[in-house]
Amino acid sequence: MESLTLKAEVRLTVAQCYRTLTRGSDGADVVAALRTLRSYLDDGAQSATTAVQRAEFRRNHYTRTIQLLVHNIQADWLHSFTAAQRAELWDGLFLQGPPDQALLVLMEAIGNLRASTNLDHLVLITETFLQSGRLGDLLWLYCQAAPSDSPQLRETLLGRIVALPDLTANKLHPNNKPIFLPQQYYPLLASEMLSALDRTCQALREGTDCSLTFVAETLGKACMQGHSDVLLAAMAPRLSVCTRSDMVWQRVCWKLLENVPQRWMEAVLTGLVQAVSGPDALGRIIGNLVLKNKKAQFVITHKLLLLQYKYETKVLRTVLGYLAADKERRPMLIQVLRSVSQAWANPSAVKHTPLEQQFYVSKALLLSVSLLKDSELQELRSELLQCMLGGMQSHLDSSVVRIRHMGMVVGECLSSRMDINETKLTFEYDKDEETQELLSLMTPVTGDESEPETVPGADSVCEVTPPTVSSQNKSVDQPLTTNPDSDLDSDDELTPYDMSDDKEICQASPPRYLRDCLETLMTSEDAARVELSLRVAESLVRTNIFAAREISVKMTKVLLHMEDKYSINGFRLLRQATMVALAVTDCIPVTQYLTTEFYSLNYSLCQRLDILEVLASAAQELSKPIAKKSDPLCCPAACTDVTPYPGDNPVHWRQVVEKRIQSKTKRLSKGVTQPPVKATPNRYAPVAGHFFFPLLRNYDKPQATFDLLGSDHLVLGRLIHTFGLFMHLAVNAPIAAQMGCALLDFVWAVRYHADQMVRRSVLFAVCSVFLSMPSQNLLVDLDDQLFETRTWLADVAEGDPDADCRSLAVQSLVLLDKSLKKQLQDPPSLGSRS
């Protein structure tokens, strides 16, 4: 009964103060009313009666009080206050009351007010609210006990706390306060959450129950909105230190993460594994959360390892080391190893996943294997062996060099770890950055640091080593140089001659005639004669055009079937250069022979690739302008390096006069002043069809040793790329339109090929068509295919797993849109063409 009376007295007193503030009485009455309201917020010594009154005011009247103050912020009595009175009576009501109610009212008022001094005043109060630790008081208020507020009010408060930088930026830009910026606010929020957790630990030691639900929701919502890196970068080091030797802190951290809502668990865990210093710190902070929470288990054991691949190796070490650090979690490490090994050995994944993801999965597989014990390795021996054999075959069959290297390194590491019959697989590959990183993963890193600790004294050893070695060498060399009176009569003391520039005298001489060169390549068994003939073959072909045309096809056949029996240095380049010279010198017969032999029987894949490379190089050379080469026998003066005197040139004075006239003349617009380039005939345009169309024959007919649309996808990709090169070089050629239509028809059937190299070649060919084919022909000859082609390119640009394919698809779309726009802006030519 007494409690009800006290509450009624509070309501009457507050109502009277409201009337005083609303009516705008004289200054003394307003000050008295504000002091009365302020007295209910004092934290000094209080009796039982005062405690009931203060609790009643905080619970039922505080929010309405500060709302009334904001509503009367333009009252005359407020502007008549001194700065000290305003800070004590007006600002104090916001800074001393319940922090949750004050923050909600302040954020609502800032959102409603326009730019003015009143808005600046509320912003200043909010800034003081954050700087004075009131945000930590708010979090601690919700840790002490679950307040009896509605879920809607709780969700609103949570949104205001997490999104405060966004709300203030939208309202105050560009005059925002530094403390409201994300780079300052979220570290402050992290510090206040750590303060609330510290108070919770102290309360638990004293036997008081606490709730971490609101703090966990704040952490989860902030991480979900994309601030996990800033927030957890400030929290993780402190949590790692506090949980190292304090079980209460460990229990608080475990409970905190268990209370994170399921919809925000992924954001918290992904940010935490990147912020912690190692697997031990992660284990102390989250405990066995992976065993209790299904969402956490999915994120840790599946999503971070198989679905996302943007994280560094440090994250993989942290996650897998966390699973391996506890005996209750080690079964999940086995489960992860099975999943990762299946993903790595899946042939479909090798073909359809990006290279970055395959490299990420390879790292996860090697790290998992390195963490296995010997007993666990024996149990998984058969599964790992099956994974190694199947996965290596899938990787080695790929046409991408990086994928093949991944398969080789992982195969070596798995065989070394399993030690099958004391034999280890070894491959030859380039030791690049990726392979070195994969090899280093088999050495586990212990401790919380991602880098191994520096061995004490290592620096001193490194500094002493060079002088020691040099002194040893000096001591060894000293008897040879400083003891001239030695009795040893040995040739070892004689100074050797410098023979670095000497050349070996060869008994054979290079052939001077092309037929002699061909005869040597066909019949000779002398390695020196064959090498000399091969080295001069290209120059003989280019300097004896008429003789080369007589034997061009025969010599091309000999070179195509020639093998490197004598290990000649640069054999492949010399052979290819000679065939290119023959194809350029006698274009049509040699091209017909090569394009016919491409689909013939009993040729290896290397020979077919050589044919494509020769044709591509020859087409490139034919498309270039003919360089003028002076004959030193006919005009020796042209070879001199002496610059002629300017007066000797009869045209020189005309150039000088013209230059002066140009410099003195003023023009509104000036074109290119460089001398015009002299036009030269394009040797490729008349013969482009001989390169292109014969290669389109029989591509869909599998031969006994050759299946272009089947297993030989490496040759298919190179063939399509060669077609694209032919198309690109045929720009402005009369036959370009016909070549473009035929090329699009050819690549349309393989546009969804499983091999990414084939898809890249297809997109390169499509780019070449759009770049080289006249724009009017695109609408006239390809009107039925353009819509489907554009839709396909859009799908590839958005969803292809290979980054190069996506880039090429975007370039093709740009070229197509540019050509169509150009043609649609010129309708007369289109109408006459139709």
Side-chain angles (χ1 to χ4, degrees):
M1 188 67 182
E2 182 180 359
S3 176
L4 294 176
T5 303
L6 293 175
K7 293 180 180 180
E9 291 178 359
V10 172
R11 286 196 298 272
L12 291 175
T13 304
V14 169
Q16 184 177 0
C17 293
Y18 286 172
R19 287 193 295 271
T20 302
L21 296 175
T22 305
R23 292 174 181 174
S25 305
D26 56 1
D29 295 339
V30 171
V31 170
L34 291 176
R35 291 187 185 278
T36 301
L37 297 174
R38 180 73 171 71
S39 64
Y40 290 117
L41 301 177
D42 292 336
D43 294 331
Q46 55 184 357
S47 60
T49 302
T50 307
V52 173
Q53 291 177 340
R54 291 178 179 177
E56 171 66 16
F57 178 78
R58 289 172 178 267
R59 184 182 305 110
N60 297 320
H61 303 287
Y62 176 73
T63 301
R64 186 182 174 190
T65 299
I66 56 179
Q67 287 178 342
L68 181 65
L69 294 180
V70 171
H71 183 70
N72 291 277
I73 194 172
Q74 296 181 351
D76 294 336
W77 53 264
L78 178 59
H79 294 279
S80 64
F81 283 175
T82 62
Q85 287 179 326
R86 176 177 295 186
E88 176 190 0
L89 301 178
W90 209 88
D91 299 354
L93 285 171
F94 290 92
L95 300 176
Q96 298 297 326
D100 53 343
Q101 301 178 45
L103 181 63
L104 288 175
V105 173
L106 285 173
M107 295 308 299
E108 182 182 5
I110 290 175
N112 293 333
L113 290 178
R114 297 181 178 272
S116 60
T117 55
N118 299 327
L119 177 61
D120 295 339
H121 187 198
L122 291 179
V123 169
L124 180 61
I125 294 176
T126 307
E127 185 179 9
T128 308
F129 180 92
L130 297 178
Q131 293 174 344
S132 59
R134 296 297 290 163
L135 196 56
D137 296 337
L138 190 157
L139 296 174
W140 171 238
L141 175 65
Y142 278 79
C143 290
Q144 291 175 327
S148 57
D149 53 2
S150 63
Q152 293 80 6
L153 179 62
R154 188 187 187 96
E155 188 67 26
T156 302
L157 178 62
L158 190 63
R160 296 295 185 273
I161 294 175
V162 174
L164 189 143
D166 297 331
L167 298 174
T168 54
N170 292 336
K171 188 65 180 180
L172 304 178
H173 180 76
N175 300 317
N176 204 358
K177 297 290 184 179
I179 197 173
F180 297 150
L181 300 178
Q183 56 267 30
Q184 292 193 22
Y185 175 75
Y186 289 107
L188 173 65
L189 179 60
S191 176
E192 298 296 354
M193 284 194 287
L194 289 171
S195 176
L197 295 179
D198 189 21
R199 292 185 183 182
T200 302
C201 292
Q202 296 177 6
L204 291 176
R205 292 189 181 96
E206 297 172 359
T208 304
D209 293 335
C210 295
S211 172
L212 294 173
T213 303
F214 188 78
V215 180
E217 291 176 349
T218 304
L219 175 64
K221 193 174 183 68
C223 291
M224 184 272 298
Q225 292 187 357
H227 308 292
S228 58
D229 51 349
V230 180
L231 200 64
L232 293 173
M235 294 184 66
R238 173 74 183 280
L239 294 178
S240 177
V241 172
C242 293
T243 56
R244 185 166 297 170
S245 59
D246 194 336
M247 285 300 300
V248 177
W249 262 101
Q250 290 185 13
R251 289 181 55 198
V252 168
C253 290
W254 298 350
K255 195 67 176 178
L256 173 69
L257 291 171
E258 290 175 6
N259 288 332
V260 173
Q262 294 291 315
R263 62 187 184 276
W264 300 332
M265 181 64 72
E266 179 183 347
V268 175
L269 287 179
T270 53
L272 190 60
V273 296
Q274 297 178 79
V276 295
S277 57
D280 294 340
L282 181 63
R284 293 194 303 267
I285 294 175
I286 70 174
N288 285 335
L289 179 67
V290 70
L291 301 176
K292 302 176 183 178
N293 191 293
K294 292 295 183 182
K295 185 61 176 290
Q297 179 179 342
F298 172 75
V299 172
I300 292 292
T301 64
H302 188 77
K303 193 160 190 178
L304 287 177
L305 302 176
L306 296 176
L307 300 183
Q308 295 179 349
Y309 52 93
K310 62 182 179 180
Y311 304 108
E312 299 178 354
T313 307
K314 173 180 175 291
V315 175
L316 286 175
R317 288 189 183 273
T318 299
V319 171
L320 296 173
Y322 160 75
L323 296 177
D326 187 81
K327 62 180 181 180
E328 296 182 2
R329 300 193 293 264
R330 286 198 73 88
M332 289 193 173
L333 177 65
I334 307 299
Q335 174 187 346
V336 164
L337 177 58
R338 288 193 174 100
S339 302
V340 172
S341 62
Q342 291 175 3
W344 183 81
N346 189 354
S348 178
V350 174
K351 294 180 180 179
H352 297 97
T353 55
L355 284 173
E356 295 78 8
Q357 185 172 7
Q358 296 184 44
F359 183 61
Y360 188 83
V361 172
S362 300
K363 292 192 293 184
L365 175 60
L366 294 182
L367 283 173
S368 302
V369 173
S370 68
L371 293 171
L372 288 180
K373 299 178 181 179
D374 293 338
S375 58
E376 297 170 338
L377 188 63
Q378 292 298 328
E379 296 177 2
L380 298 171
R381 192 184 188 89
S382 61
E383 298 181 29
L384 288 178
L385 180 59
Q386 183 179 1
C387 162
M388 181 183 71
L389 297 178
M392 284 179 55
Q393 181 177 358
S394 301
H395 283 74
L396 295 179
D397 287 343
S398 175
S399 58
V400 183
V401 177
R402 290 174 58 188
I403 295 179
R404 293 200 297 270
H405 286 176
M406 277 185 239
M408 296 175 187
V409 176
V410 174
E412 284 186 357
C413 295
L414 291 182
S415 66
S416 175
R417 184 71 175 88
M418 291 188 292
D419 196 15
I420 304 172
N421 297 326
E422 297 183 354
T423 58
K424 300 178 181 179
L425 294 175
T426 56
F427 297 94
E428 293 183 1
Y429 50 84
D430 297 333
K431 303 291 185 179
D432 55 8
E433 185 178 351
E434 284 189 357
T435 55
Q436 293 290 351
E437 183 177 1
L438 289 175
L439 291 172
S440 67
L441 297 178
M442 295 304 293
T443 304
V445 178
T446 59
D448 279 355
E449 298 297 331
S450 58
E451 297 293 334
E453 296 181 356
T454 304
V455 180
D459 296 339
S460 60
V461 172
C462 295
E463 293 176 359
V464 173
T465 300
T468 304
V469 174
S470 62
S471 63
Q472 290 176 356
N473 295 336
K474 184 177 181 181
S475 63
V476 173
D477 296 338
Q478 188 173 1
L480 300 178
T481 58
T482 63
N483 192 8
D485 298 332
S486 176
D487 295 335
L488 296 177
D489 187 10
S490 173
D491 292 340
D492 295 338
E493 296 182 5
L494 299 178
T495 304
Y497 287 103
D498 184 10
M499 303 177 64
S500 59
D501 296 333
D502 292 354
K503 298 181 180 180
E504 183 180 356
I505 299 177
C506 183
Q507 299 296 333
S509 58
R512 300 180 60 185
Y513 297 98
L514 192 56
R515 289 189 178 273
D516 294 340
C517 177
L518 176 60
E519 188 68 23
T520 302
L521 295 178
M522 291 175 59
T523 61
S524 177
E525 297 293 336
D526 187 355
R529 291 186 61 197
V530 172
E531 181 176 358
L532 287 174
S533 300
L534 190 61
R535 292 191 181 279
V536 300
E538 181 189 2
S539 60
L540 290 177
V541 170
R542 295 187 182 275
T543 55
N544 301 275
I545 298 178
F546 295 103
R549 289 176 178 174
E550 293 178 357
I551 61 171
S552 59
V553 176
K554 184 176 182 180
M555 191 169 185
T556 302
K557 181 178 181 180
V558 171
L559 291 171
L560 183 61
H561 292 83
M562 190 176 180
E563 297 180 357
D564 189 14
K565 296 187 296 183
Y566 308 109
S567 300
I568 299 174
N569 187 21
F571 169 81
R572 183 175 177 272
L573 296 178
L574 294 172
R575 172 171 156 266
Q576 177 187 337
T578 306
M579 287 194 288
V580 171
L582 289 168
V584 172
T585 303
D586 197 13
C587 182
I588 296 179
V590 175
T591 303
Q592 289 177 347
Y593 169 76
L594 291 176
T595 53
T596 303
E597 295 300 305
F598 180 77
Y599 291 106
S600 299
L601 297 176
N602 300 325
Y603 277 94
S604 66
L605 295 183
C606 291
Q607 288 175 311
R608 301 183 198 276
L609 291 176
D610 289 339
I611 291 175
L612 294 177
E613 192 165 356
V614 169
L615 291 174
S617 300
Q620 286 179 302
E621 183 175 344
L622 288 172
S623 64
K624 295 178 181 178
I626 302 176
K628 292 185 178 180
K629 296 182 180 179
S630 58
D631 190 352
L633 298 178
C634 299
C635 48
C639 299
T640 181
D641 294 332
V642 181
T643 304
Y645 183 69
D648 297 339
N649 188 355
V651 192
H652 176 70
W653 66 272
R654 296 181 182 274
Q655 295 177 352
V656 174
V657 173
E658 182 67 22
K659 185 176 180 181
R660 291 178 180 176
I661 293 175
Q662 293 290 341
S663 61
K664 299 296 183 179
T665 305
K666 294 183 180 180
R667 293 181 174 85
L668 296 178
S669 62
K670 189 174 183 181
V672 180
T673 59
Q674 297 179 353
V677 180
K678 185 178 180 180
T680 58
N682 188 341
R683 295 177 292 164
Y684 172 72
V687 296
H690 295 280
F691 282 85
F692 185 86
F693 292 104
L695 279 179
L696 284 178
R697 299 177 303 182
N698 303 325
Y699 68 88
D700 55 347
K701 296 180 181 179
Q703 307 294 335
T705 59
F706 184 46
D707 186 7
L708 194 60
L709 297 182
S711 59
D712 297 325
H713 47 79
L714 177 61
V715 185
L716 175 62
R718 190 54 186 267
L719 175 63
I720 298 175
H721 188 275
T722 305
F723 280 138
L725 181 62
F726 292 160
M727 187 69 215
H728 175 66
L729 298 176
V731 60
N732 298 325
I735 203 172
Q738 186 179 355
M739 292 172 59
C741 296
L743 182 55
L744 282 183
D745 290 337
F746 169 62
V747 302
W748 191 253
V750 292
R751 67 188 186 281
Y752 289 116
H753 200 278
D755 189 85
Q756 56 188 350
M757 294 300 294
V758 177
R759 298 199 304 275
R760 290 182 191 177
S761 302
V762 169
L763 290 166
F764 171 73
V766 173
C767 277
S768 301
V769 171
F770 293 154
L771 188 64
S772 304
M773 194 170 176
S775 57
Q776 61 268 20
N777 292 96
L778 287 176
L779 285 177
V780 176
D781 299 336
L782 302 176
D783 54 346
D784 297 334
Q785 303 178 19
L786 286 183
F787 179 75
E788 295 182 3
T789 303
R790 198 180 190 287
T791 304
W792 162 64
L793 290 174
D795 294 340
V796 173
E798 183 178 358
D800 196 280
D802 185 67
D804 291 338
C805 291
R806 296 194 297 270
S807 177
L808 287 170
V810 172
Q811 295 178 22
S812 300
L813 284 172
V814 172
L815 291 174
L816 177 59
D817 292 344
K818 184 178 180 180
S819 298
L820 294 179
K821 183 178 179 180
K822 177 182 178 181
Q823 185 59 26
L824 292 175
Q825 289 177 351
D826 188 17
S829 61
L830 178 62
S832 60
R833 176 71 176 172
S834 303

